[in-house]
Each structure stands twice: as structure tokens, then as C-alpha cells.
Amino acid sequence: MTSDAPEDPQAELSRYRQSIDNIDAALIHLLAERFKATQAVGRLKAASGMPASDPAREREQIARLRALAEESHLDPEFAEKWFTFVVAEVIHHHERLAGNGAGAGATADATAQGE
């Protein structure tokens, strides 16, 4: 008689968790690189007098990321929520760089952009 149960569930769980930990580390490194790039965009915008947010860019990015999520079998709603969360922080940084001090409250209400 055969069973679908793993021979050592704890060892298998440990392997899955190690993989998850590696992916989490990669995601943190990727986010750090993303924020380095968006900081450069924020400095450029501040020096050029451009607004911190770009609603057209945000709409384009959301559509692009939703399509990528669907292709990857990831919930597009989740992808959009993630993007909106990250972009809110980007906007906050851009506003700080521009010196307008809008702060987090305004950031949450602002239309974000996805540099």
C-alpha cells in the first residue's frame, strides 16, 4: 500500500521554509534596489520642479502589473495592492525630497506613480 504522505514531514517543511526564506531575502534586496532607483527619480523631480505623483504613469503600471500577475497565475488584485502600497512610500519620499512636507496622510490619499 502506498501513501502520499511524505516520509519525513518535518524535513520537507524545513526545505519549503528555507526556500521561502531565500525568496523573502531576494525580495528585500530587489525592493532596496527599486527604492534606490525611485530615490534618484525623486531627486530629479525635485530639482526639476516636477510633481511627486504621475497619475497616468500609475494607471499604465497598474495595467501592466495586473497583466503580468494574470500571466503568472497571481491574483491581479494582490499585485495592484502591493504596487499601491509601495508607490505610496515612493510618493512620500518624493514629497520629502521636494520639501513640501505633505507627510504620510497626504500620501495615502495621493494618486501614486510607479517609477
Side-chain angles (χ1 to χ4, degrees):
M1 193 192 268
T2 62
S3 171
D4 289 338
E7 288 183 33
D8 184 354
Q10 286 300 322
E12 186 172 359
L13 179 61
S14 181
R15 285 190 301 274
Y16 287 141
R17 286 180 172 168
Q18 182 60 52
S19 182
I20 290 167
D21 291 350
N22 289 343
I23 293 166
D24 287 346
L27 288 170
I28 293 299
H29 290 290
L30 288 170
L31 282 171
E33 288 302 311
R34 188 186 196 287
F35 275 94
K36 286 178 190 174
T38 61
Q39 286 292 329
V41 168
R43 287 189 295 275
L44 175 64
K45 285 183 169 189
S48 302
M50 291 185 236
S53 67
D54 183 344
R57 166 84 171 152
E58 178 193 10
R59 285 188 299 275
E60 292 168 6
Q61 285 294 87
I62 287 173
R64 185 177 75 82
L65 293 175
R66 287 182 68 92
L68 285 170
E70 287 179 17
E71 291 170 14
S72 301
H73 306 286
L74 179 68
D75 180 4
E77 289 293 320
F78 173 77
E80 185 173 343
K81 286 177 187 178
W82 169 83
F83 177 75
T84 301
F85 176 77
V86 169
V87 170
E89 188 64 20
V90 169
I91 292 285
H92 177 70
H93 291 181
H94 288 191
E95 289 172 341
R96 233 182 14 228
L97 287 167
N100 69 11
T107 300
D109 295 333
T111 301
Q113 52 110 25
E115 303 316 337

